Amino acid sequence: MTAKVNDGCISCGACVAACPEVFRFNDDGLAEAYAAVAPEYEKPALEARDGCPVAVIDIEE
């Protein structure tokens, strides 16, 4: 699976807190997906997507 944080991130950190193995803050202070979603991180990555208050995370298989 791959994750992507689209334009519109508000730097709330919900995704980073939910799944730091996939999401982190970039130099601009916005969240980014920096790693593929390994099988063991699928559930927290999906929780990060579902918990995003501005719905800017896409996850594809």
Side-chain angles (χ1 to χ4, degrees), residues 1-3 9-11 20 24 30 32 36-39 44 46-47 49-50 52-53 59-60:
M1 297 177 82
T2 59
C9 175
I10 59 170
S11 302
R24 66 179 175 196
L30 301 173
E32 67 179 0
V37 181
L46 291 171
E47 289 172 357
R49 179 198 64 194
D50 296 344
C52 179
I59 297 180
E60 297 178 1

Side-chain angles (χ1 to χ4, degrees), residues 5 8-18 23-26 28-32 47-57:
V5 179
C9 175
I10 59 170
S11 302
C12 72
C15 61
V16 177
F23 301 99
R24 66 179 175 196
F25 287 111
N26 65 20
D28 295 325
L30 301 173
E32 67 179 0
E47 289 172 357
R49 179 198 64 194
D50 296 344
C52 179
V54 290
V56 296
I57 298 173

